[in-house]
Amino acid sequence: MPDKPTVLFVCVHNAGRSQMAAGYLAALSHGRVEVLSAGSAPKDQINPVAIEAMAEEGIDIAGNVPKVLTTDAVKESDVVITMGCGDVCPIFPGKRYEDWELDDPAGQGIESVRPIRDEIKVRIEKLLAEILPAAADSRA
């Protein structure tokens, strides 16, 4: 893994789960990880309930814009994390792939989105410990 790994989060609409995951990784890595997110069929805006849920954590994702998944985004990433986008994500040798099964926050209220957000945070903290082990050790 390079000194500054690149992580790509992919979901269908790039409006909820992947945006929350990208927001957490950007905030918790303090710039030590390059963070990308994209969707196989992106919406035109971020889910407002996802924005609200992340704001409760002090993380502002309101200015983010859903982006379409490109082969180049996958190629430049060291870790690709998919969230319910099935087989649309291209596979390249030498990359780490994970599929995170998480409920889709689309159409759900804040009470339902908070547990999804909290599960994403747990997974992000675990991912950080795996891809930046030396940095995690130095903070202990």
Side-chain angles (χ1 to χ4, degrees):
M1 193 85 40
D3 287 343
K4 187 172 183 176
T6 299
V7 177
L8 170 64
F9 295 100
V10 183
C11 66
V12 176
H13 298 127
N14 191 220
R17 294 167 290 192
S18 57
Q19 291 286 348
M20 289 191 289
Y24 267 129
L25 187 56
L28 297 175
S29 72
H30 305 288
R32 294 173 294 153
V33 177
E34 186 70 31
V35 182
L36 305 172
S37 71
S40 53
K43 291 280 190 188
D44 57 354
Q45 65 181 24
I46 305 296
N47 178 336
V49 181
I51 292 170
E52 179 184 353
M54 293 303 287
E56 291 177 352
E57 293 283 291
I59 298 172
D60 182 7
I61 62 169
N64 296 2
V65 177
K67 293 174 255 348
V68 69
L69 176 64
T70 65
T71 301
D72 286 344
V74 178
K75 280 183 184 174
E76 67 186 60
S77 298
D78 301 297
V79 180
V80 179
I81 297 175
T82 58
M83 302 171 178
C85 67
D87 297 330
V88 297
C89 192
I91 304 291
F92 292 98
K95 304 211 175 287
R96 174 177 167 177
Y97 290 88
E98 290 184 24
D99 184 50
W100 290 359
E101 290 190 29
L102 297 160
D103 289 338
D104 189 346
Q108 299 199 49
I110 190 69
E111 294 298 327
S112 298
V113 173
R114 284 182 185 124
I116 300 167
R117 175 202 65 200
D118 295 345
E119 175 64 22
I120 290 170
K121 183 177 184 181
V122 168
R123 292 177 187 222
I124 292 296
E125 289 171 338
K126 181 177 184 277
L127 176 67
L128 268 172
E130 293 169 358
I131 66 174
L132 296 175
D137 291 345
S138 69
R139 289 193 318 257

